[in-house]
Every structure is written in structure tokens, then in C-alpha cells.
Amino acid sequence: MSTPWQRTADGANLLGPDGSLAVTIFEEITTLAGRHNAINLGQGFPDEDGPAELNRIAREAIANGHNQYAPGKGIPELRAAVAEHQQRFYGLTPDPETEIVITTGATEAIASAVLSLTCPGDEVLTFEPFYDSYGAMIGLSGAKHTTAALLAPDFMPDLATLENSFSPRTAMVIINNPHNPTGAVFPVEVLSEVVRLAIKYDAVIVTDEVYEHLTFGPRHIPVATLPGAADRTLTISSAGKTFSFTGWKIGWLSGPAELVAAARTVKQFLTYSSGTPFQTAIAAGLRMDGSFFTEAAATLQRKRDILSEGLRAAGLDVLSSQGTYFINADTAKLGITDATALARRLPELIGVAAIPVPVFCHPDGARRTRSLLRFAFCKKETLLEQAAGRLATLKDRL
Ligand code: PMP
Ligand code: GLN
């Protein structure tokens, strides 16, 4: 049996066949982008701060002495704001005392959920491609990571065969909607089928909805609002993407008290609590007018369109993105069969960085996605236009 760190690394595809250890693809590509002074469309972080008002509240909280440990489950004001947010947008009514916990980003919420509820002998099902931290935490828990493919061009699962990915050992299904890295936003038919199967196989649902406010047309449907789902669903979200403060690392999870208590038990020994002054600011953020949330999505949609146009003009096939910070482009037309190798060359070659999609897959999925690159469009429009200009040179430089 391998050691816990090896299972973690292996789960996120960081262990080479010779036992060599890599850092996450985000860190690797961001480092390469820095070295070659490239426009970093790899790791998903905005190049502009979020609302100045939230910035001011955080600074004031620091100045006013809100600098010691927050309660383990989060400051009451933020838990109340999360509850209000769930009610205002979705009609959900979690109890802020027992059904909400504030975490150090969605990353810690994912770790707490997976590590508290799964163990060797269990299976944990995700769609594929999958966000890397799911693989890492499933590996650390000792459970087996099973997958159901999302298929290009629209990255939906095949509902007729989805049940084949479930088994009596399926203890947890992790949904990520809107979906990183593909930009898919799942319609009610997909989500309802997952819920039906989770009930049939008695699996807990963990739903990572960090991009809940960033959809470009389709309405975001929280899994917990679907019939039969709420009792078995832990919902995870985070301030990073909605408010463009990815470095503040404030996230939360909510769900039925027993599941939240399980996750909280583990969470309190991962970090105990997180960023007191930032929690105060995010409580104000969650209470902002509806127009803030709709404008954030509209701005991002314009950015998506600028980058899509640039990628198309560069001769790539652009796949649909209905949400998130990301869009996928297929480099097959340029003769590329190894997007991972290309992503490692791209910063030096044309001064643009992107993330290869195969790294979010097991071997079969990696073959299916071998020519796909993920580009982040959460950047200033002028920078996206500049990136488009550089991408246009790719054909000739390969
Ligand atoms: N889940 C998904 C799908 C993500 O893309 C990210 C990255 N923002 C996270 C979780 C981690 O979120 P956080 O930065 O709040 O830990
Ligand atoms: N969620 C971000 C992305 O997908 C990166 C987060 C990280 O660096 N771990 O690009």
C-alpha cells in the first residue's frame, strides 16, 4: 500500500511512471508563464480585484482588530449571509448554526467532505475531465476514483449509460456545475439523473458550485433544489470566483446537519478556522444587489467571446463554454496530438500559457482529450486581444 502523500499525488496525476513527483499543473504552468513573460491564460485567477467596497471592509476589519481566530465553523455574520444567499437565489433554507460551515476556500470544503465520508473499499464517482483536487482527495481517502466521461463538443454525459458508472460500492458522487475545465453547465435532465442514481445506490452527493454565478445563458440549478436531493447533498461554494478575490480563500459548505457535522469534524483539524477579516468582507459581498451578480456574468461573457474569436482566428476548433472562467480549444487541426507537451512549450513559443485538459483525466479520458487546451478568459479585454494576436502566430511557429 502506498503512503498517503503518494496516493494524493497519484490521484491528481502528479506521479510519473518512474516515481517522479510533479507540482500541480496550475503551479507548473504559472511558473513557466512567469519565466517567459507570457500572458497567463492557464491558472484561473482574474487580473483585476473584485469590488472596492469589499476590499475596504477587509482593510477596515484588519484595522479594527478582527485579527484573531474566527470560530471553527465561521463567523456568525458570514454563516447568516450564506443562508440568506441560498434563500435569495435558490429558495433553500439552511440553518446557519448546524447546516453551514465556512472553510478555507472550496478546496478545504472538498477535502473535508471526501475525507470525512469515504474510505478504502468505497468508490467515488466524478465526471471526467475532473478538477484535480477531487482526484487528490479521493486518493488520500483510499477510496477508488471512478469516472463517467463528458463528451465533446458539449461535454455532457451519456445519460443512457450513466448507470454503468455506479455500483453498490459508490459511496459518493461529486458533481461540479458549472464545470471546470470544460465550461459545461448541466441542465436539469443531467442533474436529475445523477440524483436518481445517487438515491438508487445510496450515495452522498457532493456538489461543487464555485462558478454558480458565472453562467452565460443557462440558469444555474443547484443540485440541492432537485426533488429527493437535499437530504444527501453537500453543496460547496466559494468567494474566490464570484467576487474575484481568489487569494482570500473563503469558501463554505452546506447541507443536512449530519453530513455537515461529519465534514466539520475533519475541517476543524485541517485548518480549524479561516481568514477572520476576509469573512466579514465576504458576508457583505453575498448581500450585494442582484445587479452585481448579473453584471459579473455579463462581463465575463464578453471576455469569453473575445477569446473565442481569437482562438478561432488562430485556426483552433473552439468548444462551447456556457459558464466558469474557461473555454476549451481543440488543437488537432494544427496537427497536435499531445496538448500537455504543447502547453509546456506554449509560453516560450508564442508568449501565451494554457492548461492541457488530459491532466484532468485517467488514461482513457486523456486519450479522448489529448488535443484539448483550456484557456482562462477572466482577464482584461485588452490582454485577451493581445493574447489573440499571439495565438494567431501559433500555426507558423509549430
Ligand atoms: N472547485 C473548482 C471547480 C475550482 O475551479 C476551484 C478553483 N477555484 C476550486 C474548487 C477551489 O476553490 P478555492 O480557491 O475557493 O479553494
Ligand atoms: N481553480 C483554478 C483553476 O482551475 C486554480 C486553482 C489552483 O491553482 N489550485 O485554474
Side-chain angles (χ1 to χ4, degrees):
M1 180 83 167
S2 46
T3 55
W5 75 264
Q6 287 170 319
R7 297 199 306 273
T8 305
D10 198 31
N13 294 332
L14 301 182
L15 274 190
D18 57 352
S20 60
L21 177 65
V23 292
T24 79
I25 193 69
F26 304 116
E27 192 165 340
E28 181 183 351
I29 297 295
T30 289
T31 304
L32 276 176
R35 186 175 306 151
H36 298 291
N37 207 10
I39 298 174
N40 189 356
L41 306 184
Q43 194 176 29
F45 60 90
D47 58 354
E48 291 176 286
D49 274 354
E53 175 63 5
L54 302 192
N55 208 310
R56 186 189 63 74
I57 295 172
R59 276 185 282 119
E60 227 161 64
I62 292 172
N64 292 337
H66 295 273
N67 298 308
Q68 308 307 330
Y69 294 126
K73 61 185 177 185
I75 64 169
E77 195 187 340
L78 179 53
R79 280 184 283 115
V82 170
E84 282 166 33
H85 171 277
Q86 296 305 90
Q87 162 103 56
R88 167 159 73 129
F89 287 99
Y90 311 126
L92 293 166
T93 54
D95 175 352
E97 282 309 308
T98 57
E99 297 182 329
I100 294 174
V101 170
I102 307 306
T103 55
T104 303
T107 305
E108 192 195 28
I110 293 162
S112 308
V114 173
L115 297 178
S116 62
L117 295 168
T118 65
C119 57
D122 288 340
E123 292 178 2
V124 180
L125 175 63
T126 71
F127 287 138
E128 182 187 57
F130 51 84
Y131 183 58
D132 64 347
S133 82
Y134 311 149
M137 289 303 99
I138 296 166
L140 181 56
S141 80
K144 180 175 174 205
H145 185 177
T146 54
T147 57
L150 297 178
L151 301 171
D154 60 353
F155 296 110
M156 292 293 146
D158 177 12
L159 293 188
T161 58
L162 186 57
E163 185 161 1
N164 299 342
S165 305
F166 282 76
S167 90
R169 290 174 179 263
T170 306
M172 179 180 284
V173 187
I174 305 179
I175 303 289
N176 170 211
N177 183 41
H179 185 262
N180 177 9
T182 65
V185 175
F186 300 117
V188 70
E189 299 75 37
V190 168
L191 299 173
S192 301
E193 180 62 359
V194 173
V195 172
R196 185 184 75 80
L197 293 168
I199 293 170
K200 179 167 174 185
Y201 290 88
D202 196 20
V204 169
I205 302 170
V206 171
T207 176
D208 174 350
E209 303 184 1
V210 299
Y211 300 99
E212 62 188 315
H213 289 292
L214 306 179
T215 63
F216 318 129
R219 193 171 58 88
H220 171 66
I221 304 170
V223 174
T225 61
L226 297 175
D231 290 0
R232 59 178 64 246
T233 300
L234 275 174
T235 303
I236 291 173
S237 193
S238 151
K241 307 298 153 119
T242 300
F243 299 110
S244 299
F245 285 118
T246 60
W248 287 9
K249 298 296 294 186
I250 300 297
W252 48 90
L253 57 80
S254 61
E258 323 78 75
L259 294 181
V260 169
R264 190 179 67 224
T265 303
V266 169
K267 179 262 178 309
Q268 65 193 346
F269 298 107
L270 295 177
T271 57
Y272 180 59
S273 66
S274 22
T276 308
F278 300 123
Q279 293 194 35
T280 308
I282 296 305
L286 287 171
R287 292 177 169 134
M288 282 165 69
D289 281 353
S291 59
F292 165 78
F293 298 91
T294 44
E295 274 164 30
T299 304
L300 207 52
Q301 181 167 353
R302 276 198 305 279
K303 294 178 177 208
R304 177 203 63 177
D305 293 343
I306 292 171
L307 184 62
S308 304
E309 200 34 59
L311 291 166
R312 232 174 261 119
L316 305 180
D317 281 325
V318 179
L319 299 159
S320 131
S321 161
Q322 300 188 306
T324 75
Y325 279 173
F326 310 113
I327 191 155
N328 285 201
D330 195 341
T331 60
K333 258 214 243 154
L334 303 185
I336 300 294
T337 53
D338 184 348
T340 307
L342 176 64
R344 292 190 170 120
R345 285 175 62 206
L346 211 56
E348 186 171 14
L349 197 62
I350 60 165
V352 174
I355 300 286
V357 175
V359 301
F360 301 116
C361 297
H362 291 156
D364 278 350
R367 270 187 291 279
R368 268 196 311 274
T369 58
R370 63 187 185 156
S371 53
L372 297 187
L373 287 176
R374 186 198 83 171
F375 291 85
F377 46 79
C378 47
K379 306 290 175 184
K380 289 191 195 81
E381 294 187 8
T382 47
L383 197 73
L384 294 173
E385 276 152 10
Q386 205 184 335
R390 294 184 184 187
L391 283 160
T393 65
L394 177 60
K395 234 186 300 187
D396 297 331
R397 298 215 179 178
L398 281 171

